[in-house]
Amino acid sequence: MGHGPEPDIALVSFPVDRHSWVHFTRGTDPPGPLPLGEKSATAVRLFLDRFGVELPAGRWSAHSDLPVGVGMASSTADIVATLRCLFHIYSLPYDPGVVTGILSSIERADSVFLDQFALYSSARHHVVRRLGTAIGFHTAYVIERGTVDTAAVTPLLLRHYRRRAQEYERCLTDLLKGFSAADPAAVARAATASATLSQEVLPKRAFEAVVAHREEFGADGVFVAHTGSLIGYLFSHRPAPGAKDELSAFFSSLGHQCSFAQGGYG
């Protein structure tokens, strides 16, 4: 939340071991369209304009582990992967300032391009506070059916944040305390509180069942995509193989395929 009459969306992105990759192979043919969509193509144009260069002959290729429209910052990851590739093509040092400048011309962004946790203003593209690399989690998550248009839900989120300003303020205070103390359990509790508030504006069908079984699975907390359809558990320690079997069976009973990924930095 921002200060003043108009709130701002500030978030702490939770990076997981899923990525977007972009490659450019020099050749003799004129470069074709980038296979990651309009936003990444716009990033290419803005980069070329910024440095006054032209794209050499060659071929783009790309791959992403991130599904679109589920709250995993796929478009931001695509743009950043594209820009990293362009820095490499021209043997330029990677410049985060250029990246945030280009992102600010295209979309609200998550802080997935940073190398640490951070409280990040998604509209202003400003790091409010750096939160370090001391905390990590293991996750078990599912993606519910349907996609979410981030731009379309932003007004709904802002109205919700105004209504629940005090609750979000407490949640943020607890979250920042958890990061300051390098306490993953405290961070997970704050994430659960934030997920509960999010349920009022962008509900997940599996939420009540997931919360009800958290202690049974020994999870430290519950997390959701606040602009998407993802929901899952946070574990400060890697679940044992048997626990993964039980988690997979549980989510299957809810009609979803469970995925596991390491997240954070610790």
Side-chain angles (χ1 to χ4, degrees), residues 171 190-200 202 207 222-224 226:
C171 182
T192 305
S194 182
T196 302
L197 287 167
S198 175
Q199 188 69 2
E200 297 178 5
L202 200 63
F207 184 80
V222 172
F223 74 108
V224 301
H226 287 74

Side-chain angles (χ1 to χ4, degrees), residues 7-181:
D8 183 26
I9 295 178
L11 48 85
V12 178
S13 293
F14 180 55
V16 294
D17 191 18
R18 299 288 185 268
H19 306 278
S20 289
W21 305 97
V22 175
H23 303 282
F24 186 82
T25 305
R26 291 178 182 266
T28 57
D29 296 329
L34 182 66
L36 286 177
E38 180 181 345
K39 289 183 178 181
S40 292
T42 300
V44 173
R45 177 178 56 79
L46 292 172
F47 182 96
L48 299 179
D49 290 346
R50 167 70 172 75
F51 289 100
V53 295
E54 294 184 0
L55 197 64
R59 177 176 56 85
W60 291 106
S61 61
H63 170 75
S64 180
D65 301 327
L66 302 168
V68 175
V70 303
M72 296 187 75
S74 61
S75 62
T76 300
D78 289 348
I79 292 168
V80 173
T82 300
L83 294 174
R84 286 185 182 275
C85 181
L86 288 165
F87 279 113
H88 180 73
I89 290 171
Y90 296 100
S91 300
L92 293 169
Y94 180 73
D95 187 339
V98 171
V99 173
T100 55
I102 291 176
L103 281 169
S104 67
S105 300
I106 300 174
E107 66 170 10
R108 287 179 174 269
D110 291 76
S111 59
V112 294
F113 59 92
L114 299 175
D115 58 359
Q116 63 176 288
F117 284 112
L119 180 63
Y120 188 75
S121 169
S122 64
R124 299 175 187 173
H125 298 271
H126 170 67
V127 176
V128 180
R129 184 182 302 185
R130 295 183 180 273
L131 302 175
T133 60
I135 289 178
F137 290 100
H138 296 270
T139 70
Y141 67 90
V142 298
I143 297 169
E144 295 188 340
R145 285 180 291 277
T147 59
V148 176
D149 183 336
T150 302
V153 302
T154 294
L156 299 177
L157 291 173
L158 289 173
R159 288 196 293 270
H160 174 62
Y161 295 155
R162 291 188 189 98
R163 289 195 303 269
R164 292 295 197 175
Q166 291 184 343
E167 291 90 339
Y168 274 106
E169 189 70 29
R170 285 195 295 270
C171 182
L172 177 59
T173 297
D174 292 343
L175 184 73
L176 296 180
K177 286 180 179 178
F179 276 108
S180 295

